Amino acid sequence: RLQPRPDPIGRQLHAFLNTDLSACRQQAYVNMQVALLFVALGAGFATPHPSTRAPTFSRMAAPRDGARTLAAVSVSPPPPSQVSGQRAPAVNVGLLNLLLANQALIALPTFLLGGWEALVEHGDFDQVTTLALGAAGALPLIAASNVLSASRDERTIPINWATNLLSLKLFGLRQEPLVAGAVCLLLGAVVGTVEETAFRGLMLPAIADQLGGGGLALATAIGTTSALFAALHLNPLKLAKARALDGSDVVALALQLWTGSWFALLYAIPGGNLGIPIVAHALYDAFVMWSTHLEVSSQYAYAKAEVRADEKHTPKAVREWSDALGPKFVRDAEYLYHFLDADRSQTIELYELLVGLHAYGLELRADELNARWDACGAPGDPITGALDLEHFVAFVARLSADLSAARAQIAAAQAQTNGLRDEGVGGLETKGLLGVRPTQ
């Protein structure tokens, strides 16, 4: 408290600083949390894992006719065939530090604005019921995650692939259940504590009190914080570029809205026990990441075993592609074939093929997909048929050649555009061919 000064300005300042500012502080908490969380959660994951850096399949050997093949794009699948002599670490420490730093960026304003007091006062971690209810509260979320990962809906492809890619970057391709489990529990505990303290420990009560308390105010606070929680888990760069929500964004938004609402209910129904949603959030995140690691690493081990088995009885048509494009090209295509064969049916169905295309950042229209399906001689159509190894190799080879031609046309068009600009003529646009964005 400042002592009053004899001048008018000093008296006004003294009166202002001694005013009850509880309502203003609550509103400041909300405003600062929103602004800081938007900045904090907007950080992307950029550090690659040593075993997923420079994937081999994205740098296929050039065919003998000299045409360029698939080049590395922004999001690439795991390396299919190369295994370096140096054993990669079990955990990408750089990415782990980045994830923890991202949470620290959220935690700093959260705990400066009263998060620590809310955690200590309402955590109740010393009660067995807190742990039991938190573990039980994670089960519906885990069940929903399993349904999503097993879905064959095309809108789930970007969501599932993003989880797989994060697991690959964090743990690599080698299965490390104990190490991965410990890291997942650490990340789950940190994320659960920070995010639940921010959204449910601070923002939810602040909004409810701001609205005067009561059931309606609590329901409004739950809806508001859950909507903000869902919005902040979307990819801001993708939304800024697309300027609209696509099908996968709607699915992701609905999933996060349901998740945030469930955490809010776990907090509110037992009477404001913040420990319950923290435990549920931590176990849910840890289980999803750990199970994803086991699934992806198991699939890669399956692909390696199948490629070894293929060496003993390679189909004649595949050997012909090997003679035309080189053995490395075909071997990499075989690895990708078995890696995408998630149901291990020895065929690639439409959904699995779309996963592979999405992994390379390729978007083919239905007519383009049908044309390449027919060109590789596969039976039926993409909806009713499936690709065996022979037709998959042919599909990849023809798609690779088409992409090379498309890139050449784009480069020529861009060169022509630059030439026209140099001459003072504008208005020529270069559009992506084959559904491939020019930047790729």
Side-chain angles (χ1 to χ4, degrees):
R1 292 178 179 270
L2 299 180
Q3 296 297 324
R5 298 177 59 184
D7 58 280
I9 296 180
R11 285 195 297 269
Q12 293 177 9
L13 179 62
H14 174 79
F16 175 77
L17 292 175
N18 286 276
T19 304
D20 182 10
L21 300 177
S22 59
C24 296
R25 290 194 187 98
Q26 288 179 358
Q27 186 61 43
Y29 288 161
V30 176
N31 293 341
M32 292 180 67
Q33 285 290 341
V34 172
L36 292 173
L37 286 174
F38 263 112
V39 174
L41 288 177
F45 304 138
T47 307
H49 190 278
S51 65
T52 57
R53 189 178 295 134
T56 297
F57 184 73
S58 65
R59 297 181 179 180
M60 287 183 177
R64 296 185 179 180
D65 60 1
R68 294 178 58 193
T69 55
L70 287 174
V73 293
S74 57
V75 178
S76 300
S81 62
Q82 88 280 16
V83 178
S84 60
Q86 183 179 3
R87 183 179 175 87
V91 179
N92 181 351
V93 178
L95 179 57
L96 178 61
N97 291 336
L98 179 63
L99 297 174
L100 294 176
N102 179 270
Q103 291 300 312
L105 186 60
I106 309 172
L108 181 61
T110 297
F111 290 108
L112 286 177
L113 294 173
W116 180 253
E117 291 79 1
L119 184 62
V120 172
E121 184 177 354
H122 303 292
D124 297 336
F125 291 102
D126 56 340
Q127 299 182 9
V128 178
T129 54
T130 298
L131 302 178
L133 290 176
L139 295 179
L141 301 175
I142 293 174
S145 175
N146 290 337
V147 171
L148 182 67
S149 63
S151 172
R152 292 294 213 178
D153 192 318
E154 296 179 18
R155 295 172 295 180
T156 65
I157 292 178
I159 303 171
N160 290 330
W161 177 251
T163 308
N164 293 347
L165 188 62
L166 177 57
S167 174
L168 285 168
K169 286 186 175 184
L170 189 57
F171 301 117
L173 293 163
R174 195 174 60 249
Q175 192 166 99
E176 301 282 357
L178 296 180
V179 175
V183 172
C184 290
L185 285 175
L186 170 64
L187 285 174
V190 172
V191 172
T193 301
V194 171
E195 293 190 1
E196 292 309 307
T197 302
F199 285 98
R200 261 61 70 174
L202 283 183
M203 298 179 67
L204 193 154
I207 295 175
D209 291 343
Q210 194 79 351
L211 297 176
L216 180 60
L218 178 60
T220 303
I222 289 176
T224 302
T225 55
S226 300
L228 182 60
F229 178 84
L232 288 174
H233 279 79
L234 295 179
N235 187 336
L237 298 179
K238 177 184 175 183
L239 294 179
K241 184 177 181 180
R243 299 181 180 179
L245 295 177
D246 58 20
S248 63
D249 293 328
V250 173
V251 173
L253 187 64
L255 175 66
Q256 295 296 345
L257 186 60
W258 139 250
T259 302
S261 300
W262 181 250
F263 289 143
L265 292 176
L266 291 177
Y267 167 75
I269 292 178
N273 185 345
L274 187 58
I276 297 176
I278 288 178
V279 172
H281 197 152
L283 293 178
Y284 167 62
D285 282 2
F287 177 84
V288 169
M289 185 57 62
W290 184 68
S291 61
T292 300
H293 165 66
L294 296 182
E295 179 183 347
V296 172
S297 58
S298 173
Q299 187 65 22
Y300 181 69
Y302 164 78
K304 289 177 62 177
E306 289 297 314
V307 169
R308 293 193 187 101
D310 290 342
E311 294 175 351
K312 301 178 181 179
H313 45 80
T314 304
K316 179 180 178 181
V318 175
R319 291 198 303 269
E320 292 175 353
W321 279 111
S322 181
D323 294 338
L325 303 177
K328 185 176 181 297
F329 184 100
V330 173
R331 182 177 175 82
D332 289 338
E334 288 178 330
Y335 267 94
L336 183 61
Y337 171 80
H338 293 295
F339 188 81
L340 293 177
D341 184 18
D343 58 3
R344 304 184 183 182
S345 62
Q346 298 295 324
T347 58
I348 298 297
E349 300 168 356
L350 176 61
Y351 181 85
E352 296 167 336
L353 182 61
L354 293 177
V355 170
L357 293 173
H358 174 80
Y360 278 99
L362 303 179
E363 300 174 0
L364 296 183
R365 298 190 304 268
D367 59 329
E368 295 167 342
L369 184 59
N370 289 330
R372 277 147 194 82
W373 188 278
D374 295 336
C376 72
D381 56 64
I383 297 178
T384 61
L387 297 174
D388 57 15
L389 177 58
E390 172 187 342
H391 294 108
F392 179 80
V393 173
F395 183 93
V396 170
R398 296 184 184 280
L399 178 61
S400 180
D402 290 342
L403 289 175
S404 300
R407 290 191 183 96
Q409 294 181 40
I410 292 173
Q414 290 175 338
Q416 182 180 1
T417 301
N418 294 334
L420 291 175
R421 287 174 178 170
D422 293 340
E423 297 173 4
V425 181
L428 179 62
E429 294 185 357
T430 58
K431 298 183 178 180
L433 304 178
L434 306 175
V436 183
R437 293 183 291 275
T439 55
Q440 296 178 336

